Amino acid sequence: MNGGTQTPNRGKVVAVRGSVVDVRFDGQLPPLLTLLRAGSIAIEVLEQTDPHQVRGIALTPTQGLARGAMVEDTGGPLKAPVGSAVLSRMLDVFGNPIDRGPALADVQWRSVHRAPPLLENRSTKSEMFETGIKVVDVLVPLERGGKAGLFGGAGVGKTVLLTEMIHNMIGHQEGVSIFCGIGERCREGEELHREMLEAGVLPNMAMFFGQMNEAPGSRFRIGHAALTLAEYFRDDEHRDVLLLIDNIFRFIQAGSEVSGLMGQMPSRMGYQPTMGTELSGLEERIANTDSGAITSIQAVYVPADDFTDPAAVHAFSHLSASIVLSRKRAGEGLFPAIDPLQSSSRMTTSGIVGKRHYDLAQEIRKTLAQYADLKDIIAMLGLEQLSEDDRKVVARARRLERFLTQPFFATEQFTGHGGKLVSLKDSLDGCERILRDEFKDFPESALYMIGAIQEAKKEVNPNPPQPEQNSRVPAPKAEHV
């Protein structure tokens, strides 16, 4: 706001076209990205059309706004609240609580438009970030302070995987988690808030939501608001931050809507011509510095499962790990439905994860790739027509596929399976033992939806119950024995 007794800079609405508002100022023209207010309606300046007129996009619905309405220049850009008081709260793009809690107190307000950290302040350390999810830790290890993308079409499990990662990581990490919902359903926000409250992790978490039914300007800026809080915890409080974004495609989509409303010429496949710049402006702020790290995991919706879509291509270029979810694997019941051959991580080098882990990951990929090549022959001629060596490869690959499934805490109520958190050591041991054919006599179903490999032996117990397994024997029988 303009300070002192200075007269506020005021203008008048000259045109309203949906979310686009033209405002005329007789005095000083507000700079780009300035926030204007017409009563309860907020407008962000995106264009200066002539020496006395600006064009802006409304961040709120424009019902009731008419020509001649008075508009006030707030004297600054859109601001987000930062500080420890924001933790455990759910906020909208303006920093207003939407969790039915009290208004925020004892917070600072900072501009959502900030430059990325300078290159000389960035950290160059590469360190692995354990998630407790077998297939991710073994084949697509995440980087602490890196950016990982969850790619997939509609309904293949991006949000479930994101929720599971929050559940697993938040308990093991001393830092702060920030969840940013861009253009997501309000039902998902309410469910996530309730689950985090029940899990007891809300005190170290903040949530920002720009819901699906909100104005495109609001959905476009919610990511910047969440990042502003993440930067505060990294730079001012020197804490590690886990930033979860669901869904970065909706950010691009909101930018495309804003661009279309502003009358810009569309680019390839109807996307905005400035998509690369807008996405870079958001992604480059997510960085590792000497004072702390922002580790980001982002869901990326892939339109019509087409990975050559410009939104998916641009998002790929910013990531250190790409987790690709496959509809085919989801159809086979292999959850999490991660495609190990399409997914990749820059961390999978022997210098970072260690020689044993690297060699194992390569061996697993090779086995799964050979199985993929043999599938056509099996479909046409049957398994019996394969050579002995090929049959062994198929048996190993099928057991690996089932071992890399995992019951999630996030889906307990739907599946009836208790969630499992598996350490990297247990995950690597299990894969190594399957590749050594230790489990060739076990049915494939014994390895499906288990945690560590030892559980397979409990699933299949051909011998009579041993003393150590008496927990599985009903109490009355034990008495008769």
Side-chain angles (χ1 to χ4, degrees), residues 117 129 143-148 173 176 178 226-235 239-245 282-289 291-298:
F129 194 68
E143 181 182 3
R144 185 175 294 281
K147 295 187 272 275
Q173 105 163 8
V176 179
I178 297 170
L227 252 172
T228 304
L229 180 64
E231 287 167 335
Y232 164 81
F233 283 116
R234 179 193 66 195
D235 301 336
R239 293 169 77 174
D240 279 357
V241 183
L242 175 63
L243 176 66
L244 302 124
I245 301 176
L282 187 76
E283 295 280 11
E284 288 303 303
R285 288 169 65 182
I286 303 170
N288 234 351
T289 67
S291 56
I294 299 177
T295 303
S296 172
I297 300 171
Q298 309 168 7

Side-chain angles (χ1 to χ4, degrees), residues 410-426:
T411 57
E412 276 179 6
Q413 61 197 35
F414 308 114
T415 61
H417 289 283
K420 297 277 167 68
L421 185 75
V422 186
S423 71
L424 176 62
K425 181 183 177 300
D426 285 345

Side-chain angles (χ1 to χ4, degrees), residues 86-157:
V86 180
L87 292 176
S88 82
R89 303 305 302 273
M90 189 191 277
L91 308 171
D92 67 7
V93 72
F94 302 105
N96 301 320
I98 51 173
D99 54 7
R100 298 185 183 175
L104 290 177
D106 194 29
V107 292
Q108 299 173 40
W109 293 83
R110 288 189 184 172
S111 166
V112 301
H113 306 286
R114 296 166 66 84
L118 298 171
L119 212 52
E120 67 232 37
N121 298 337
R122 296 188 180 219
S123 169
T124 52
K125 273 194 308 188
S126 287
E127 199 182 332
M128 191 178 150
F129 194 68
E130 245 186 86
T131 64
I133 298 169
K134 289 183 283 193
V135 64
V136 174
D137 288 344
V138 173
L139 294 174
V140 203
L142 305 187
E143 181 182 3
R144 185 175 294 281
K147 295 187 272 275
L150 302 178
F151 290 82
V156 291

Side-chain angles (χ1 to χ4, degrees), residues 346-366:
R346 292 181 196 165
M347 298 291 286
T348 320
T349 65
S350 54
I352 296 171
V353 296
K355 188 167 187 333
R356 179 189 174 225
H357 184 165
Y358 174 73
D359 290 345
L360 258 176
Q362 295 302 95
E363 184 66 23
I364 293 165
R365 281 179 194 278
K366 182 181 163 190

